[in-house]
Amino acid sequence: MAATLHDVARVAGVSIKTVSNVINDYPHVRPETKERVLAAIAELGYRPNLSARNLRSGRTGMISLIIPNLRNPYFAELADDVMNAASARGLSVLIEQVGGDRESELSVLRGSRRQAVDGILYSVLALGQEDAAVLDEIPLPMVLLGERIFNSSRDHVTMRNEDGLRAATEHLLAIGCRRIIALGSHPGEVIGSAGLRLDGYLQALDAAGVPVDERLIVHADRWHRVDGAAAMRSILAAGTEFDGIVAFNDSLALGAMRIMQEAGLRIPQDVAVIGFDDLDETRYSVPTLSTIEPGRPQIAETAVDMLLARIEERASAESSPAEPREVLTDFRLVQRESTTRAAGAPGSSGL
Amino acid sequence: MAATLHDVARVAGVSIKTVSNVINDYPHVRPETKERVLAAIAELGYRPNLSARNLRSGRTGMISLIIPNLRNPYFAELADDVMNAASARGLSVLIEQVGGDRESELSVLRGSRRQAVDGILYSVLALGQEDAAVLDEIPLPMVLLGERIFNSSRDHVTMRNEDGLRAATEHLLAIGCRRIIALGSHPGEVIGSAGLRLDGYLQALDAAGVPVDERLIVHADRWHRVDGAAAMRSILAAGTEFDGIVAFNDSLALGAMRIMQEAGLRIPQDVAVIGFDDLDETRYSVPTLSTIEPGRPQIAETAVDMLLARIEERASAESSPAEPREVLTDFRLVQRESTTRAAGAPGSSGL
DNA sequence: CTGAAAGCGCTAACAT
DNA sequence: ATGTTAGCGCTTTCAG
């Protein structure tokens, strides 16, 4: 059996309170006593029992991160960022994957592990605005990530979807593209990443006086590589002319690039491509992919900080909780090969 | 404050023992009593406090998975597989990332979260055979993954490194390659993935009577995409001739392919390439990458099962623990475009 | 079939 | 500066 506080106290010849004081770095412990306690701890290989500590203190030092799937590089990178931010603040992260359907998200939110964490970082995917009320019922501090739900009573960290996509589109316009495909739209969606990003695209065209061609707005329900590839196949089959692509995320862009290359299109000479997310992979694809870096580390840090603040607010049982906050992170356009045309050599599409 | 057992008992008009019986699905509860208790639980929105349960039962229902980094797709996919296996068995997974250096691995192993989990799945990276003894000191059930440590007192799940790489090399030989680069060696390493995989390569050449050329054994300390790219740059700079590459993992292969394509080499016509790991990405690269599928889901399931067995063995406090087991998973060669040459058209290198 | 009560290991208020 | 002690919410003998 593992050593307990009492064992340490006995070996050190003090009371458990003193041992507890030493462990928790309380002041008012005579150096020599501390010494003796530390020696006893080392001798016994004592480690505090976290279950007991949690039970007593009402805190676990763990937060859960609810995401769709780690195989999706965006979420793997987000998870890494969150774990780094959390561990810098002394927290552990319990990652919970959800199936992507509404039921599974709800059941995880309400789920059994709830009692094992101090708070939840929830990257909303399947729920929508109409579920905002459901979130209020979860009796745990929570911070929302993503763009599916606004105006709930929860803190929310999100990226500048419209601005980012507008900048991406402007970048393509600036290097000479005129027939730019928007890849990844969700017809009818207004809020949500797809709706917001489409808006940014339209704003950019509008500002440049370039007419909108509905055939250039390409639908893609899911945003994985395979979806980008499939979409590009139908675009080519339809014979639509285009000289640039703003993909609503990097995976779509990478999938589309693969199909274009098979079809003999040169990137960026024939078609310039830009994505969104700044996945690690965009630095290594052929060609390397220009993209919008949406401030993911900042999202992670901000979200963890906000959650921690909520947890502490709750612990100190103060009057009324602070108003929900909404934070938008800074984005940055990263230009790589897929949009870098040789100087003085405009796109070859001749439009 | 959240409802407790006592609250439920009061509302249902029974004792806490009865409530506990209902929750834990014990027999011997009269149906109508059970009904009443269930109603009270629903009414109060009662959820058992896991810290208390853990404290009492000595189990947490969590295992930790220690891996280097989620941004590495191999480990992201492994983590996904492990989480699926664990959740099918009612366990949660706490992912802990380690820096990759020896000290950081040791400190996580001994680390503070130790008391919060029932067991550890440890994907060994920085420790080596000489640390086998250290592992015995960790007073927690543990299963090792990977090929850095053999013959410790711990259960161990590993893949068929030699056989897999031998099969990969034989595949290249079969399609006509004669000057095959082995990419990713660690000079001097005997056990460890690099040592074992190099062995498989040498075995295949030997069996085919193809002489070993030291210049074709290319070193790469780390196995990320960028390392594969860097290695390929020096190979090209050195002017070494080659017509095939067996990379010791997929990332190396993908990195090398990028550089070859920039240099105008065609894959598979000029150079055939095969990797190892079967990352999701290999299905979408240009060209798609042939690879060895090392049985990762099987690794995950087996490892979780073994760990669970150890946890239960410990709980039942039986005589002596079972002998450590060593499991090798089945691999499979997956042929994709990077090694598929048109029938009747052998490699163009002319060797 | 159900109730009473002990105690898991820890923290923190209170006492000295 | 250190000791005493009462629970945190649950599981689990042991009685009824």
Side-chain angles (χ1 to χ4, degrees), chain B residues 139-156:
Chain B
L140 221 50
M142 174 156 60
V143 172
L144 305 180
L145 306 176
E147 18 287 326
R148 293 277 305 175
I149 297 183
F150 290 88
N151 303 318
S152 80
S153 67
R154 302 294 189 167
D155 292 329
H156 185 193

Side-chain angles (χ1 to χ4, degrees), chain B residues 58-64 91 117-120 140-143 155 304-317:
Chain B
R59 290 197 35 184
T60 65
M62 285 202 317
I63 58 177
S64 57
L91 295 170
V117 297
D118 296 333
I120 300 178
L140 221 50
M142 174 156 60
V143 172
D155 292 329
V304 171
D305 281 336
M306 286 171 119
L307 187 56
L308 209 44
R310 289 292 174 185
I311 292 170
E312 272 152 15
E313 166 187 272
R314 212 166 87 123
S316 64

Side-chain angles (χ1 to χ4, degrees), chain A residues 5 17 26 46 48-49 53 56:
Chain A
L5 263 192
K17 178 58 182 16
Y26 283 153
Y46 168 76
N49 178 314
R53 179 177 283 177
R56 185 60 237 232

Side-chain angles (χ1 to χ4, degrees), chain A:
Chain A
M1 206 50 213
T4 77
L5 263 192
H6 286 95
D7 299 328
V8 176
R10 188 159 17 78
V11 170
V14 297
S15 83
I16 61 167
K17 178 58 182 16
T18 304
V19 180
S20 175
N21 282 344
V22 170
I23 291 168
N24 297 293
D25 257 341
Y26 283 153
H28 311 314
V29 180
R30 213 184 315 160
E32 62 189 73
T33 315
K34 185 166 177 174
E35 204 81 346
R36 217 148 22 101
V37 171
L38 257 20
I41 289 177
E43 179 187 336
L44 296 173
Y46 168 76
R47 319 237 79 202
N49 178 314
L50 294 185
S51 294
R53 179 177 283 177
N54 297 345
L55 174 58
R56 185 60 237 232
S57 65
R59 290 198 32 185
T60 65
M62 285 202 318
I63 59 178
S64 58
L65 172 66
I66 302 181
I67 54 173
N69 196 318
L70 279 178
R71 300 179 99 99
N72 181 326
Y74 176 79
F75 290 108
E77 293 181 23
L78 176 65
D80 179 47
D81 290 335
V82 167
M83 292 178 75
N84 291 335
S87 102
R89 290 158 183 77
L91 295 171
S92 295
V93 178
L94 187 69
I95 296 173
E96 305 195 72
Q97 299 191 110
V98 293
D101 58 310
R102 198 164 158 282
E103 276 320 304
S104 123
E105 284 196 21
L106 285 173
S107 88
V108 168
L109 272 175
R110 302 200 175 108
S112 59
R113 276 287 142 194
R114 230 179 58 187
Q115 297 282 343
V117 298
D118 295 334
I120 298 178
L121 290 182
Y122 173 34
S123 182
V124 190
L125 204 73
L127 297 193
Q129 197 69 45
E130 67 279 13
D131 298 301
V134 176
L135 296 183
D136 297 346
E137 290 163 22
I138 312 293
L140 221 50
M142 176 157 57
V143 172
L144 305 180
L145 306 176
E147 16 287 325
R148 294 276 306 173
I149 297 183
F150 291 89
N151 303 318
S152 81
S153 67
R154 303 293 190 166
D155 293 330
H156 185 193
V157 185
T158 185
M159 47 182 77
R160 299 189 178 275
N161 289 282
E162 294 186 48
D163 296 345
L165 218 99
R166 176 149 32 83
T169 311
E170 284 165 355
H171 174 56
L172 291 191
L173 290 166
I175 64 171
C177 300
R178 280 303 170 273
R179 292 191 54 79
I180 301 174
I181 287 180
L183 178 55
S185 84
H186 292 171
E189 183 183 289
V190 179
I191 59 172
S193 322
L196 297 169
R197 291 180 193 182
L198 179 59
D199 237 46
Y201 167 80
L202 296 173
Q203 285 172 22
L205 291 191
D206 187 51
V210 173
V212 174
D213 181 338
E214 287 292 339
R215 288 169 300 176
L216 296 179
I217 297 177
V218 177
H219 169 84
D221 236 338
R222 314 200 57 201
W223 287 1
H224 298 293
R225 206 156 180 149
V226 60
D227 307 303
M232 182 47 62
R233 275 194 206 95
S234 19
I235 294 168
L236 295 175
T240 315
E241 279 185 38
F242 61 99
D243 58 4
I245 299 180
V246 279
F248 288 4
N249 82 356
D250 288 338
S251 294
L252 284 171
L254 293 166
M257 288 210 299
R258 184 202 193 306
I259 302 301
M260 288 192 279
Q261 287 170 323
E262 282 180 0
L265 290 169
R266 291 167 308 154
I267 303 166
Q269 295 88 337
D270 300 329
V271 181
V273 182
I274 184 165
F276 196 111
D277 280 348
D278 193 34
L279 298 185
D280 288 346
E281 205 183 330
T282 56
R283 292 175 190 73
Y284 302 108
S285 57
V286 186
T288 56
L289 181 65
S290 296
T291 189
I292 301 295
E293 193 279 286
R296 214 178 334 87
Q298 194 194 342
I299 289 175
E301 301 234 338
T302 310
V304 171
D305 280 336
M306 285 171 120
L307 187 57
L308 209 44
R310 289 291 174 188
I311 292 170
E312 271 152 14
E313 166 187 271
R314 210 166 87 123
S316 66
E318 257 163 41
S319 46
S320 52
E323 283 295 297
R325 288 203 300 145
E326 181 115 2
V327 172
L328 286 164
T329 55
D330 304 321
F331 72 93
R332 197 166 52 84
L333 189 150
V334 183
Q335 180 169 8
R336 300 211 177 91
E337 293 166 1
S338 67
T339 62
T340 302
R341 289 172 169 170
S348 61
S349 68
L351 288 176

Side-chain angles (χ1 to χ4, degrees), chain B residues 17 111 126 173 191 225 317 346 349:
Chain B
K17 177 59 186 7
L173 290 166
I191 60 172
R225 208 157 179 146
S349 69

Side-chain angles (χ1 to χ4, degrees), chain B residues 218-296:
Chain B
V218 177
H219 170 85
D221 235 337
R222 313 200 58 200
W223 286 1
H224 297 294
R225 208 157 179 146
V226 60
D227 307 304
M232 183 47 63
R233 276 196 206 93
S234 15
I235 293 167
L236 294 176
T240 315
E241 279 184 39
F242 61 99
D243 58 5
I245 300 182
V246 280
F248 288 5
N249 82 354
D250 288 339
S251 294
L252 285 170
L254 293 166
M257 288 210 301
R258 184 202 195 307
I259 301 302
M260 287 192 278
Q261 287 169 322
E262 281 180 2
L265 290 169
R266 292 167 307 155
I267 303 166
Q269 296 87 337
D270 300 330
V271 181
V273 183
I274 185 165
F276 196 112
D277 280 348
D278 193 34
L279 297 185
D280 288 346
E281 205 182 329
T282 56
R283 291 175 191 70
Y284 302 107
S285 57
V286 185
T288 56
L289 180 65
S290 296
T291 189
I292 301 295
E293 193 279 285
R296 214 178 336 84

